[in-house]
Amino acid sequence: MMKEEKGKYKYGMVIDLDKCSGCGTCMVACASENNVSVRADESDKERSITWMQLFKITNGKPFPDTEVSYFPRPCMHCHHHTPCVSVCPATATRIDYNTGIVSQIYTRCIGCRYCQAACPYHARYFNWWDGYGLAKPFSKGLERALSPEVSVRMRGVVEKCSFCHHRLMSAKSKAYAEGRREIREDEYIPACAEACPTQAITFGDLNNPRHKVSQLIKSPRAFRLLERLGTEPKVYYLSSKSWVRKMADNYLPNQFQQVTKAMT
Amino acid sequence: MEKERKGFWETIAFNRRNFIKLLVGGAVGTAVSPLPWKLTDDIAIWTQNWPWVPVPDAGEFSYAKTVCTLCPGGCGVKVRKTDNRPIKIEGRTDYPVNPGGICPLGAGGLQVLYNDNIRFPGPMKRVGPRGSGKFMDISWNEALKELAKRLAGLRRQGRPDAIVAVDGNPAGTTTSLLVQRFLKAVGSPNYERIPTAEDTYSMANWLTTGNKGPMAYDLENADFILSFGCGLIEGWGSPGRVLNAWGLWHSNPLARRVKIVQVEPRASNTASKADEWIAPLPGTETALALGLAHVIIREGLYHQGFVQGHAFGFTDWRSSDGKEHKGFKKLVLDNYSPEKVAQITGLKPSKIVSLARAFGRSRAPVALCGRGKGDLNGSLYEFMAIQCLNALKGNINQPGGVILSKPIPLSTWPEIQADSIAQKGLEKPRLDKAQTLQFPFTGSLINNLSEAILEKGKSPVDTLLIFSANPAFTLPDGGSFRKAMERIPYIVSFSPFKDDSALMADLILPDHTYLEKTEDIVWPRGLQYPLYALTKPVTSPLYNTRHNGDTLITLAKLVGGGPAASFPWSNYEQALRERVKGLFESGGGLTTYDQSAPAWKGFPSRRGVQSDYSSFEDMWKKLKSGGLWYYPAHDFGNWETIFETPSGAFEFASSRIELALNELSSRTYLGAALKEMGIRAKGDEVFVPHFEKGPVAEPESEYPLIMVPYTLINLSSTWAPNPPYLNKTLFDNQLRKDDSFVEINPQTASRYGLKQGDRIFIESPKGRIAVRVNLFEGAMPGVLFLPLGFGHRAYDAYERNKGANPNDIVNAGKDPISGHPVWWQTRVKILKA
Amino acid sequence: MDSPLISEDVKRCSAWKFFFWSLPWLALLAYGGVSAFLCLFMGLNQTNMSNIFAFALWIVFDLSVIALGAGAFFTGFLTYIIGRTELKDIINAAVIVGFICYSGAVAMLGIDLGQPLRAWFIFWHANVHSMLTEVSFCITAYLGVLTIEYLPLILENRKASEVRDFRLFGHNLHHIMAVFAATGTFLSFFHQGSLGGMFGVLFARPFASRWEFYIWPTTFFLFILSSVAAGPSFTILCSKLAELFTRKKLVPDNVVQLLAKISGWLLAVYMVLKIADTLAWVYGIVPKAGLTFMDFYRQGPYGVWLVGAEIIVFGIIPAIILLTPKARQSSGLLILGCLMNCAGIVLNRFIFVVVTLAIPVMPFDRFWSYLPTWQEWGVALTIIGYGFLLFSASYRYLPVFPKEKELNPAIYS
């Protein structure tokens, strides 16, 4: 439906699940970077806001062959026919084909939540409550940690991971001030990738063959979430475990190809 | 009625034409006027600028470097600020411990700083009943005078030993030393620490190697890691460092150089992500370690040179009294065959053999101890057995192995000036019986202290001082310390937080938080080289708080006499600076770090480090600005001189245990001595690491299940409050509303007819808690796993009454010899709610 | 008391009786008012909607009433465009029912929005690719058309018609009603279709996703068809309900029979296409996503019975009833057939809204369940109270049923 343009940059992320420890630092760093609200009952997972969210999976085998693993799930920034972008009636979410980043304009969002229905990754979050200020329990003092770089959302609007778009902006201004046209690979990294203590998250320009992400996605270990739906997510995962890879998509019997030793 | 209504319609009829004109005209006029459009627009703009939605102040961005002290890991962090307001915590890349990454707790640190609800606004005095959280403001002057008066009074009565301090600061830090010094100067021997894995480790190391240095492993250069329950990716050691190492180990799946094996009864993250997961029955890890030793010895896979030249008690040995004793080799070969160990641990014999071979055939295998995050102490014999595995491979003081080092070369302060009151006080016996013949190697035993308080009619403790600890929450045995606190007449908390223990205090002398003060980090837990770091305040104190160090110095002066004379400094920083001089005098060491040359990389080959500063003043300046001094080199090998045991070798059989036992039994008889020390084994096994059943043995018929607590990297389980952001990272089968969950194998659950989410009670002889059921295949059948960190009675709505505290039912008993609590094997039963 | 407002030609109950009749509906309105106030003032946290159930009870109600209100445009289409003039005997009732459904749905949508005060951004910042934009434009415009269609009837009120300008205005409107009927039909086709399109385009949700013809997924056409199939049935049910409460015959039998027959035929055609569409989905979309048909019906309360219920029980059976002359001439079976037809469409809308969202797409995701809060029920049920009030007031004060006098000789003798 919408014209897909070929842009200059295409930012993407690669998450190595062999390295990921499931510690949750990415979630905390993201929330802290992006002024995500926090409520007294964050166990209400249907309503809590986690731009980056950990999904715990198990191989389902009985003790002592049980294994757990994690899918850290930011917004996939789907590149093809971005499901949420195409349905938003008020153009409050858009994909910038020059960066590949799917943005959300909080002040334009009318809160119809059609985008949430469209997203199979549950990457979109509605503000069911006033996040700060009127929040209960009165988060006295916590608002002092709010960053001026990301606007605080009002209730009634949808929010989601922006690949820390403000960091791209400041990297660009810095480069511009220094008379450079291009930013370096390490100058623009989202908060989750930066904080990850096992360096499981790599970020960069998928259009740039020199960037690490472009090399990593060629790995036979690489795959994406629900790849078969054709949303073309720009978040890739790496895993050498078959059962983990199999969890990433739906397969009819005999469709799934086991990861072989040669592949890893 | 009828008339009026008619009149109304007549009026309308009379003015009908005008009325319609007015109506239509008005409507059209309003519609074409800008008014409705402007209003519609204004209302939408209003929704975009709701006055109650905060607009954070913008300002100049900057970074302030410091070090995180929320756990003993000591990761480098930088705090992003706008003007003077900290807004985010990130990892430092110019710091060797954690190159860039941090842990969730560290990332959430600002919520600890900023949360009004959990911080004391200034010094306070209790007005409501204990635990009610009702306090009133008092001035620092009043507060300090009140406390000084009480302490001086106790000293005048000749009861300085009724003053007790509980100290949760990491060992060797300046604040910790000041607390210790203060207690000594007033004349009390009763200085208590919160036991951690490091305490057990240093005891085990003292007995096997004679070394008193800290826990140190050259993990990054090892090629086989055998972890006995260490949560390698769940906060063990210095989380920033170990997680980074984990990333390095997995950076190239085609050429993995390291094999990681996790020994644990539960499919934890570490167990799942390790190359192999071995699940012995809880509390049988020692047997497994010795079973591995058996195979390694039997198949000759051990380091002959080390064992023959630098070990004592491996072969049969003779004690000082001339008695012949069986050595480690014989005992292990006799008692720990794979088949026997399989019976004890529930593992397959073939698995034990293959694991032993894998360990034995590796170049640099290292066996690690300290369960979970290492925040809780372990069992002495277990740690000794694990260290013996390292010794069998000669991987002691080797690259990629256990590092034996001298303590960090800080200067010592002049001796205290003990006045006559203090001298008399210090001669009195410790209330907790630590450092006595019964527990000769243990520094302090806080679990014994609560027993001592509870068993007497009147509390022998008059004034309890609590520093950076939350003993009312973190100690086992059904909250026995909390119960003991209820009987202590006067409690002073030095905590900045309204934690469970502070809520029971009578007086609050709040500290700054870690982001508001300077304090030191002495050798982050587990690091292979000495590192000394300083935090730097990233903001001026937000509340009317004072540095504990300064408070103690002032207090000592107010108490007067010996204490005043023992604290000659005018403030904390002076005392700190005096210690740091030792670093300079030791020669060498760096104060800057270059990310491109990781400190661990050259560690195996580097023999010395030139200093990157010219004078003490230069070093002090650099240390204060970068917050860092480290010495990333080591003198390897030197097995001839490194062991400071009575035998001068690595002791597979401990002559110190033998000496201690001799001394104790000389007063009674051997059997009684063994019983006092809590040892169940008999004969020569006593001196070598051996397996014995846990100290508490309720009948299995009454308590058919075992409860094992575990720790999570994303849930603070020690003194530090849990930042609300971390609640986002907990799954709703870990915490759902106010209920925490017990992990239970579906097979076990079905025996009790339990389904996912069911509410149950778990009961031990120590108490009962209510939790929900989380069916987890990765939980060993017959074992219940409960997370530590829930069930606070304090703080605010983010934490209070959320979940159950396993400590309320842990039935710890006493670990043989060390006397520390045993956390991992409480017998319990399930009751349906 | 209100007799001057009531036409002198008809007999109506006393004002007191009417007042007591209104009380329960007013109470329902008050309940809805409180619920709506809470949702607007406190925010949507008053509901049990969530990030999983972004759409819930209200959207099910919206889609259902909009589909059921389709009787208005379709009867108008048949009357004015096709020229079945006998339907003029029921067109007023159909228009009122339509107006109630649409105005109620729009009001509910206003509460459903997180930022209702920004609702007009849909027009100002319209995204032409979004089915919801199409829905919003068409529904808003069509609500205007319905108002215009309703207006002449209001102007025929005894007192209003005393005003010459009103009378003239109303009369003129009558003359150009065909234009509005045509406009209404056009708009309705599009928004009914777009409402279906809204779900068919969710290509990342295989449960709802459908093939596309040009830019429209098959649900676009199925929703149009199902709404015109159910709309007339609902109009019949409403007039039957009016007859029950007024104890009068209000609509000639031939008119009811004609509508029922049309409803039955459309339902039959719809069922054929629906079955074809379902098969195409089962053998096309579903396996392409790596799933099997049964994968959707394994979790929670939603079993494969849903498909059977929708297609057989509430699809084929009512179609047979309505198409069998003998059956539809029996008043009991006629009502049953209409009821089942309407229930079928509500079930269809429920499946597309709630079941779509309840079924996880990611294999490691889990099934969620949802129950509305009392506030949600309040807002939703208010439509019923509002409907009864407006319809009974219209019946009382406006000449809704032109044949009323003629059909009730016993009363008007």
Side-chain angles (χ1 to χ4, degrees):
Chain A
M1 268 204 299
M2 243 172 299
K3 216 176 109 200
E4 206 165 295
E5 302 153 40
K6 175 134 175 64
K8 187 165 179 201
Y9 306 98
K10 192 173 158 190
Y11 287 105
M13 188 180 273
V14 181
I15 305 175
D16 190 335
L17 302 183
D18 291 338
K19 286 185 186 176
C20 170
S21 70
C23 68
T25 308
C26 48
M27 291 179 70
V28 177
C30 166
S32 170
E33 174 83 17
N34 292 296
N35 297 340
V36 174
S37 69
V38 55
R39 294 184 44 74
D41 180 20
E42 284 289 335
S43 74
D44 181 2
K45 298 299 174 193
E46 275 186 275
R47 289 168 197 87
S48 88
I49 304 181
T50 46
W51 291 11
M52 172 62 109
Q53 188 182 345
L54 277 180
F55 285 86
K56 187 175 186 171
I57 56 173
T58 80
N59 64 353
K61 288 192 183 166
F63 186 90
D65 298 314
T66 321
E67 268 182 42
V68 301
S69 191
Y70 296 86
F71 274 110
R73 196 266 13 243
C75 170
M76 296 286 131
H77 294 269
C78 302
H79 207 68
H80 176 68
H81 193 355
T82 316
C84 52
V85 170
S86 54
V87 301
C88 175
T91 332
T93 178
R94 315 175 64 170
I95 177 164
D96 177 354
Y97 280 111
N98 206 34
T99 57
I101 294 175
V102 178
S103 64
Q104 179 76 21
I105 309 163
Y106 314 124
T107 47
R108 191 183 285 173
C109 176
I110 61 169
C112 74
R113 306 183 298 285
Y114 190 13
C115 54
Q116 291 191 299
C119 176
Y121 304 104
H122 299 317
R124 296 186 147 268
Y125 297 89
F126 184 74
N127 282 273
W128 300 98
W129 288 270
D130 283 293
Y132 281 89
L134 293 181
K136 278 178 190 165
F138 292 95
S139 47
K140 267 170 72 186
L142 289 180
E143 72 286 347
R144 283 177 285 187
L146 291 175
S147 158
E149 284 183 291
V150 181
S151 47
V152 179
R153 278 74 67 187
M154 61 288 292
R155 79 166 189 229
V157 302
V158 170
E159 62 182 75
K160 68 163 197 74
C161 155
S162 66
F163 268 172
C164 287
H165 186 257
H166 58 281
R167 288 189 169 211
L168 173 62
M169 293 294 110
S170 51
K172 273 183 169 172
S173 343
K174 188 166 168 272
Y176 183 75
E178 291 169 8
R180 283 180 290 134
R181 288 199 154 180
E182 301 288 325
I183 56 169
R184 287 191 314 270
E185 186 177 359
D186 63 346
E187 274 183 313
Y188 168 38
I189 306 273
C192 54
E194 178 187 75
C196 177
T198 61
Q199 286 93 48
I201 310 180
T202 316
F203 188 82
D205 178 13
L206 298 167
N207 277 351
N208 188 331
R210 284 188 309 278
H211 277 203
K212 219 171 147 197
V213 283
S214 312
Q215 289 147 24
L216 285 172
I217 61 169
K218 286 182 197 141
S219 159
R221 289 194 300 145
F223 60 95
R224 288 179 286 180
L225 277 185
L226 300 175
E227 204 165 338
R228 319 178 86 205
L229 296 177
T231 55
E232 296 291 332
K234 288 194 286 290
V235 175
Y236 290 75
Y237 295 88
L238 301 174
S239 175
S240 47
K241 294 194 171 172
S242 281
W243 73 268
V244 172
R245 295 169 59 99
K246 200 172 174 182
M247 285 274 188
D249 212 335
N250 296 301
Y251 295 96
L252 292 175
N254 305 322
Q255 274 186 340
F256 178 72
Q257 295 218 323
Q258 298 285 320
V259 191
T260 61
K261 265 268 182 287
M263 279 179 76
T264 61
Chain B
M1 277 296 276
E2 195 75 2
K3 250 185 186 168
E4 269 177 34
R5 203 188 55 238
K6 245 184 181 165
F8 172 72
W9 283 106
E10 274 165 7
T11 318
I12 296 293
F14 182 69
N15 285 321
R16 196 177 292 147
R17 188 167 284 272
N18 294 342
F19 175 73
I20 292 163
K21 273 187 181 161
L22 194 73
L23 209 71
V24 174
V28 172
T30 314
V32 297
S33 81
L35 189 68
W37 312 105
K38 176 84 175 102
L39 270 177
T40 310
D41 194 36
D42 282 353
I43 288 172
I45 291 170
W46 173 67
T47 68
Q48 295 166 340
N49 298 282
W50 276 339
W52 61 86
V53 178
V55 180
D57 290 334
E60 190 80 22
F61 288 110
S62 63
Y63 276 106
K65 288 175 192 170
T66 182
V67 182
C68 178
T69 58
L70 286 176
C71 88
C75 292
V77 292
K78 54 181 184 185
V79 177
R80 188 162 165 78
K81 294 164 72 173
T82 81
D83 290 342
N84 281 318
R85 185 166 64 90
I87 53 168
K88 171 116 190 285
I89 298 181
E90 292 166 6
R92 264 170 81 174
T93 50
D94 61 343
Y95 192 84
V97 174
N98 59 315
I102 39 169
C103 81
L105 182 61
L110 288 183
Q111 292 188 324
V112 169
L113 168 75
Y114 279 137
N115 192 348
D116 277 349
N117 289 332
I118 64 163
R119 290 203 53 185
F120 286 112
M124 303 192 101
K125 206 175 152 168
R126 181 167 65 84
V127 286
R130 277 194 172 167
S132 69
K134 289 207 178 84
F135 294 95
M136 64 173 232
D137 292 324
I138 52 170
S139 72
W140 273 102
N141 245 345
E142 285 173 279
L144 286 166
K145 268 192 190 145
E146 179 176 323
L147 179 56
K149 204 175 138 198
R150 188 171 189 103
L151 299 181
L154 284 168
R155 274 164 52 81
R156 262 199 311 278
Q157 295 162 30
R159 293 175 58 211
D161 55 315
I163 303 164
V164 174
V166 172
D167 182 16
N169 289 296
T173 56
T174 301
T175 311
S176 172
L177 291 191
L178 285 173
V179 175
Q180 230 170 318
R181 188 177 180 86
F182 181 81
L183 219 61
K184 231 171 151 186
V186 295
S188 169
N190 294 311
Y191 168 79
E192 296 291 343
R193 296 193 49 77
I194 304 287
T196 69
E198 281 164 298
D199 292 298
T200 317
Y201 182 86
S202 68
M203 238 181 290
N205 233 19
W206 169 246
L207 295 177
T208 52
T209 69
N211 184 279
K212 281 196 158 167
M215 183 191 249
Y217 297 108
D218 187 16
L219 289 181
E220 289 86 342
N221 296 304
D223 68 350
F224 190 101
I225 291 178
L226 177 58
S227 145
F228 282 86
C230 312
L232 293 178
I233 52 175
E234 288 153 293
W236 181 83
S238 181
R241 175 229 178 179
V242 184
L243 283 159
N244 175 58
W246 188 271
L248 295 170
W249 293 330
H250 292 83
S251 53
N252 186 356
L254 279 176
R256 287 279 311 279
R257 293 185 305 110
V258 195
K259 190 169 178 189
I260 302 150
V261 178
Q262 179 74 358
V263 176
E264 198 176 352
R266 168 179 167 268
S268 66
N269 292 351
T270 311
S272 294
K273 298 271 178 171
D275 297 283
E276 199 177 346
W277 171 36
I278 308 278
L281 289 164
T284 66
E285 290 82 355
T286 317
L288 174 63
L290 296 169
L292 299 175
H294 174 103
V295 178
I296 290 169
I297 296 169
R298 193 177 68 190
E299 305 195 355
L301 295 171
Y302 58 95
H303 192 295
Q304 308 274 350
F306 180 84
V307 169
Q308 278 160 20
H310 308 283
F312 170 81
F314 181 71
T315 50
D316 296 350
W317 55 287
R318 190 191 298 258
S319 52
S320 49
D321 53 8
K323 265 193 218 152
E324 281 287 336
H325 300 281
K326 283 185 206 157
F328 180 81
K329 181 177 169 181
K330 183 154 180 42
L331 287 167
V332 164
L333 287 179
D334 285 354
N335 301 338
Y336 297 98
S337 68
E339 292 70 30
K340 273 190 193 162
V341 171
Q343 265 183 7
I344 300 170
T345 59
L347 297 166
K348 285 197 187 97
S350 58
K351 201 149 205 183
I352 297 163
V353 174
S354 65
L355 177 60
R357 286 178 183 157
F359 187 85
R361 286 173 185 158
S362 295
R363 180 187 50 83
V366 61
L368 309 177
C369 46
R371 304 265 168 88
K373 292 192 262 201
D375 288 335
L376 305 178
N377 63 275
S379 297
L380 183 60
Y381 278 130
E382 180 190 326
F383 279 35
M384 287 168 73
I386 293 165
Q387 206 66 316
C388 285
L389 276 178
N390 292 317
L392 279 177
K393 285 302 295 169
N395 204 10
I396 301 229
N397 232 26
Q398 291 289 323
V402 175
I403 304 298
L404 297 185
S405 190
K406 297 233 165 3
I408 211 157
L410 292 159
S411 305
T412 47
W413 292 318
E415 267 302 300
I416 59 148
Q417 315 245 324
D419 50 24
S420 59
I421 302 171
Q423 278 168 15
K424 271 186 210 146
L426 290 171
E427 277 163 18
K428 294 198 181 162
R430 286 183 64 98
L431 290 168
D432 65 1
K433 299 181 203 148
Q435 302 172 24
T436 62
L437 288 177
Q438 196 183 348
F439 305 106
F441 311 115
T442 318
S444 73
L445 281 164
I446 193 163
N447 48 331
N448 283 2
L449 177 71
S450 40
E451 273 172 29
I453 294 169
L454 289 170
E455 76 193 6
K456 297 204 176 112
K458 189 168 170 279
S459 164
V461 179
D462 177 82
T463 299
L464 176 71
L465 314 173
I466 307 173
F467 298 89
S468 305
N470 191 2
F473 176 75
T474 59
L475 292 174
D477 290 323
S480 64
F481 198 82
R482 191 174 59 244
K483 287 174 198 151
M485 281 173 80
E486 278 160 14
R487 302 176 67 165
I488 297 175
Y490 195 69
I491 300 171
V492 185
S493 171
F494 292 76
S495 171
F497 309 118
K498 295 175 178 170
D499 57 54
D500 308 64
S501 306
L503 283 199
M504 300 182 72
D506 302 273
L507 187 68
I508 310 288
L509 298 171
D511 194 4
H512 304 316
T513 62
Y514 74 116
L515 294 166
E516 299 163 303
K517 66 172 175 182
T518 301
E519 62 179 332
D520 53 357
I521 292 91
V522 181
W523 205 314
R525 193 183 274 172
L527 199 66
Q528 64 265 65
Y529 48 84
L531 184 142
Y532 182 81
L534 284 187
T535 64
K536 204 164 69 174
V538 299
T539 172
S540 45
L542 299 176
Y543 305 90
N544 182 18
T545 53
R546 261 191 213 179
H547 196 299
N548 273 179
D550 291 335
T551 307
L552 279 169
I553 292 169
T554 318
L555 199 58
K557 293 197 163 132
L558 284 172
V559 174
S566 303
F567 285 77
W569 312 285
S570 59
N571 58 34
Y572 169 82
E573 199 165 312
Q574 255 188 14
L576 180 82
R577 192 180 137 107
E578 205 175 310
R579 291 186 79 206
V580 171
K581 282 198 174 127
L583 293 180
F584 176 74
E585 283 153 14
S586 73
L590 301 170
T591 53
T592 53
Y593 171 70
D594 175 14
Q595 196 190 1
S596 61
W600 58 268
K601 242 184 189 163
F603 185 69
S605 55
R606 222 181 278 122
R607 287 293 173 269
V609 180
Q610 288 272 309
S611 48
D612 61 357
Y613 40 84
S614 51
S615 61
F616 176 70
E617 284 308 319
D618 183 34
M619 174 191 162
W620 178 245
K621 217 177 84 196
K622 284 177 171 162
L623 178 59
K624 282 202 75 177
S625 71
L628 170 72
W629 174 96
Y630 67 119
Y631 192 92
H634 189 68
D635 197 8
F636 290 108
N638 59 358
W639 290 333
E640 293 77 16
T641 53
I642 189 81
F643 300 113
E644 294 174 43
T645 51
S647 64
F650 181 92
E651 297 200 342
F652 283 95
S654 171
S655 36
R656 284 203 166 103
I657 293 181
E658 194 250 353
L659 289 171
L661 206 56
N662 271 350
E663 201 179 338
L664 186 60
S665 56
S666 69
R667 304 197 174 182
T668 51
Y669 59 100
L670 185 65
L674 287 172
K675 204 175 168 196
E676 265 194 67
M677 290 174 93
I679 305 171
R680 293 162 153 233
K682 294 208 163 55
D684 295 339
E685 276 217 306
V686 170
F687 314 113
V688 301
H690 64 273
F691 169 74
E692 54 183 67
K693 281 211 171 129
V696 185
E698 279 79 34
E700 208 175 315
S701 52
E702 198 186 341
Y703 296 100
L705 301 165
I706 295 172
M707 189 280 286
V708 177
Y710 67 97
T711 53
L712 294 162
I713 190 170
N714 51 346
L715 178 65
S716 173
S717 48
T718 51
W719 171 60
N722 201 48
Y725 274 146
L726 265 61
N727 288 350
K728 285 187 186 290
T729 69
L730 296 168
F731 296 100
D732 64 355
N733 55 18
Q734 290 174 318
L735 182 73
R736 175 80 188 150
K737 290 214 158 70
D738 288 342
D739 294 326
S740 59
F741 286 70
V742 59
E743 286 186 352
I744 175 169
N745 192 287
Q747 195 191 314
T748 312
S750 72
R751 260 198 287 147
Y752 293 88
L754 298 176
K755 297 184 306 294
Q756 177 70 28
D758 280 357
R759 271 203 178 86
I760 54 166
F761 290 114
I762 303 177
E763 193 178 294
S764 82
K766 294 289 179 179
R768 163 198 278 204
I769 55 170
V771 288
R772 281 174 183 265
V773 166
N774 181 31
L775 301 178
F776 181 44
E777 292 280 3
M780 176 180 275
V783 185
L784 306 180
F785 295 92
L786 282 169
L788 285 160
F790 290 126
H792 280 285
R793 291 166 163 84
Y795 300 128
D796 63 351
Y798 292 114
E799 283 180 89
R800 194 190 303 123
N801 297 330
K802 281 203 191 290
N805 186 354
N807 286 324
D808 289 349
I809 57 168
V810 170
N811 187 10
K814 286 185 181 47
D815 182 52
I817 303 180
S818 79
H820 276 318
V822 179
W823 300 80
W824 321 106
Q825 37 189 321
T826 298
R827 296 218 73 97
V828 294
K829 63 180 168 193
I830 284 179
L831 302 165
K832 281 199 191 174
Chain C
M1 270 180 302
D2 56 353
S3 52
L5 286 168
I6 297 170
S7 163
E8 284 167 322
D9 295 345
V10 294
K11 281 191 180 161
R12 293 292 180 260
C13 65
S14 73
W16 276 112
K17 203 170 172 189
F18 185 68
F19 173 70
F20 282 118
W21 155 260
S22 307
L23 274 184
W25 313 120
L26 284 170
L28 206 51
L29 270 187
Y31 168 36
V34 172
S35 306
F37 173 78
L38 282 174
C39 293
L40 290 170
F41 190 74
M42 307 289 284
L44 292 178
N45 50 59
Q46 300 293 306
T47 72
N48 262 347
M49 289 193 284
S50 68
N51 295 324
I52 308 298
F53 292 99
F55 294 161
L57 180 74
W58 292 344
I59 298 288
V60 176
F61 252 72
D62 275 328
L63 262 61
S64 301
V65 297
I66 285 175
L68 297 173
F73 92 81
F74 193 64
T75 316
F77 170 74
L78 293 172
T79 316
Y80 296 107
I81 314 293
I82 305 291
R84 299 304 295 248
T85 45
E86 65 266 46
L87 291 178
K88 279 197 172 159
D89 292 340
I90 202 171
I91 184 84
N92 289 341
V95 164
I96 293 168
V97 170
F99 181 82
I100 289 165
C101 288
Y102 276 80
S103 53
V106 167
M108 224 156 80
L109 277 172
I111 298 160
D112 203 348
L113 289 184
Q115 288 285 352
L117 298 175
R118 300 181 194 168
W120 55 277
F121 284 10
I122 298 184
F123 307 109
W124 198 252
H125 302 287
N127 171 16
V128 293
H129 303 289
S130 172
M131 286 287 169
L132 193 53
T133 310
E134 211 169 298
V135 170
S136 311
F137 271 85
C138 294
I139 288 191
T140 315
Y142 182 55
L143 186 57
V145 170
L146 273 173
T147 314
I148 291 167
E149 287 182 340
Y150 191 13
L151 206 55
L153 194 63
I154 297 171
L155 296 180
E156 278 178 45
N157 171 270
R158 179 174 156 200
K159 272 293 164 191
S161 62
E162 282 172 14
V163 184
R164 189 174 152 270
D165 294 342
F166 280 178
R167 217 166 45 234
L168 279 174
F169 184 59
H171 190 70
N172 288 333
L173 277 179
H174 264 304
H175 277 281
I176 51 164
M177 215 29 97
V179 177
F180 288 109
T183 317
T185 305
F186 175 80
L187 291 171
S188 293
F189 260 89
F190 269 93
H191 74 244
Q192 295 286 2
S194 302
L195 279 172
M198 269 181 74
F199 295 92
V201 296
L202 299 180
F203 74 102
R205 292 224 183 233
F207 183 77
S209 177
R210 292 295 186 276
W211 298 112
E212 286 178 13
F213 291 107
Y214 186 45
I215 60 165
W216 294 296
T218 55
T219 48
F220 184 92
F221 306 101
L222 290 174
F223 267 53
I224 297 175
L225 207 48
S226 57
S227 70
V228 296
S233 280
F234 191 64
T235 311
I236 293 172
L237 285 177
C238 290
S239 56
K240 289 284 170 199
L241 205 59
E243 289 182 348
L244 177 76
F245 283 122
T246 59
R247 289 189 217 96
K248 287 177 194 149
K249 187 147 186 66
L250 299 171
V251 183
D253 278 337
N254 66 322
V255 175
V256 171
Q257 287 297 313
L258 175 67
L259 268 189
K261 195 169 90 184
I262 294 172
S263 196
W265 272 113
L266 288 167
L267 184 58
V269 175
Y270 167 62
M271 273 349 284
V272 170
L273 292 178
K274 171 80 190 168
I275 290 165
D277 176 68
T278 305
L279 289 173
W281 171 71
V282 171
Y283 292 103
I285 304 267
V286 178
K288 198 166 155 261
L291 293 160
T292 62
F293 173 67
M294 281 310 293
D295 286 338
F296 295 119
Y297 302 101
R298 290 219 175 94
Q299 293 164 300
Y302 308 129
V304 79
W305 58 268
L306 271 178
V307 184
E310 195 196 337
I311 292 181
I312 299 166
V313 181
F314 296 108
I316 294 172
I317 292 177
I320 291 171
I321 293 175
L322 294 177
L323 284 180
T324 314
K326 267 231 171 100
R328 75 168 176 258
Q329 274 151 21
S330 134
S331 125
L333 279 175
L334 172 74
I335 288 172
L336 181 69
C338 288
L339 266 177
M340 285 169 87
N341 185 357
C342 293
I345 204 169
V346 173
L347 181 62
N348 173 266
R349 301 319 192 238
F350 169 81
I351 289 170
F352 268 103
V353 175
V354 173
V355 184
T356 299
L357 298 178
I359 294 175
V361 186
M362 292 185 290
F364 51 81
D365 200 359
R366 67 183 206 224
F367 181 88
W368 299 84
S369 56
Y370 153 84
L371 278 175
T373 58
W374 63 265
Q375 292 93 327
E376 282 177 90
W377 282 117
V379 170
L381 294 178
T382 294
I383 288 211
I384 294 170
Y386 161 67
F388 268 94
L389 271 184
L390 194 64
F391 197 91
S392 41
S394 298
Y395 168 74
R396 187 172 176 82
Y397 299 117
L398 309 176
V400 176
F401 296 103
K403 291 270 169 69
E404 181 183 345
K405 223 171 161 179
E406 194 178 310
L407 291 170
N408 296 285
I411 301 170
Y412 297 105
S413 56

